[in-house]
Amino acid sequence: MPILAQSPLGAAFRGRSFPRAITYGSPAASCPGVGLSQAGLSSRAEAVRDAFGTCLADLARRGVTGCACQLGAVDDMVLLPREGTAYARGTSARLKAPALGIDGLFVAEETSDGALVLRGTDGPFALVDFPEDRRARLVLAGEPRTVFAGDAIAVGFRRGRLARRLYLQDATGRRITLLVGFSPAELDQYAAGWLLHPGSSGTQLSAGSAGAEDG
């Protein structure tokens, strides 16, 4: 299944010996939680409990409410519905950085450690990583000493990839807004509000599903 064969979390799951379990937030589109059982547990039931506990704790850390978790796989059995097993290697990235003269749609590719490489028509131009929960950093190619850092708001999953809204700035106050993983329809409907940087327009920094309250 692509979500287990191609994602970094899936690779970690496949690297676990039995018993093992993996869980995902539910509903996936608005619940950005994941849970992977610890290695060395004594039973399948214990692995399932551990994966559920990890997923619920992940949702709590992200400040998400009104969500549940669903069991994705146990040992060698995949329990997700077929439509929930897709995984996009590349996904959309809507970037707005007025001070840098950048405003457009790009491609975000995930690395093996969960970072993102942003690509345009001329190739890679930025790297985004996530040093801690709800935080992100962006470094432009050719400017390794210039770091844009700030909030990363996880919204939910789209084709197995975590959709996020990032609001970043560098030491001089230059601002970047990055929307990663959203469908074209969502961007058409909500991007105008989501691209407004907090502090300049009162944009809410809340996690959750796409909706009128977000933009």
Side-chain angles (χ1 to χ4, degrees):
M1 295 295 178
I3 197 170
L4 297 179
Q6 298 171 12
S7 71
L9 185 67
F13 171 77
R14 290 184 289 107
R16 290 276 197 274
S17 58
F18 294 2
R20 63 187 183 185
I22 189 170
T23 51
Y24 296 92
S26 178
S30 58
C31 296
V34 293
L36 177 61
S37 61
Q38 302 177 60
L41 298 177
S42 60
S43 68
R44 180 181 293 174
E46 189 175 0
V48 169
R49 284 195 298 270
D50 190 61
F52 271 114
T54 303
C55 178
L56 292 170
D58 190 27
L59 291 168
R61 280 196 303 272
R62 297 182 188 279
V64 180
T65 59
C67 286
C69 292
Q70 64 176 329
L71 194 57
V74 180
D75 292 343
D76 58 356
M77 297 178 292
V78 178
L79 303 175
L80 291 171
R82 182 168 294 277
E83 61 271 18
T85 62
Y87 184 77
R89 289 183 178 272
T91 188
S92 62
R94 179 68 171 85
L95 177 63
K96 184 175 183 179
L100 302 178
I102 301 174
D103 188 358
L105 191 64
F106 303 93
V107 173
E109 296 179 351
E110 193 170 32
T111 66
S112 60
D113 60 358
L116 300 175
V117 176
L118 301 185
R119 293 181 178 272
T121 56
D122 297 326
F125 68 91
L127 177 69
V128 182
D129 67 357
F130 304 91
E132 57 185 284
D133 287 342
R134 306 176 75 173
R135 300 291 293 176
R137 298 182 302 185
L138 181 148
V139 179
L140 294 170
E143 296 187 44
R145 295 184 180 179
T146 303
V147 178
F148 293 82
D151 295 303
I153 304 170
V155 174
F157 292 95
R158 311 292 189 274
R159 294 187 298 158
R161 293 283 297 274
L162 192 59
R164 297 179 173 103
R165 294 155 48 196
L166 277 58
Y167 299 99
L168 316 173
Q169 66 180 37
D170 68 2
T172 68
R174 295 184 299 176
R175 291 173 171 175
I176 284 179
T177 302
L178 179 62
L179 311 176
V180 180
F182 296 98
S183 69
E186 286 179 292
L187 292 177
D188 285 345
Q189 187 169 2
Y190 300 114
W194 287 346
L195 286 169
L196 296 173
H197 206 283
S200 62
S201 64
T203 302
Q204 295 180 2
L205 286 183
S206 60
S209 62
E213 70 273 16
D214 292 315

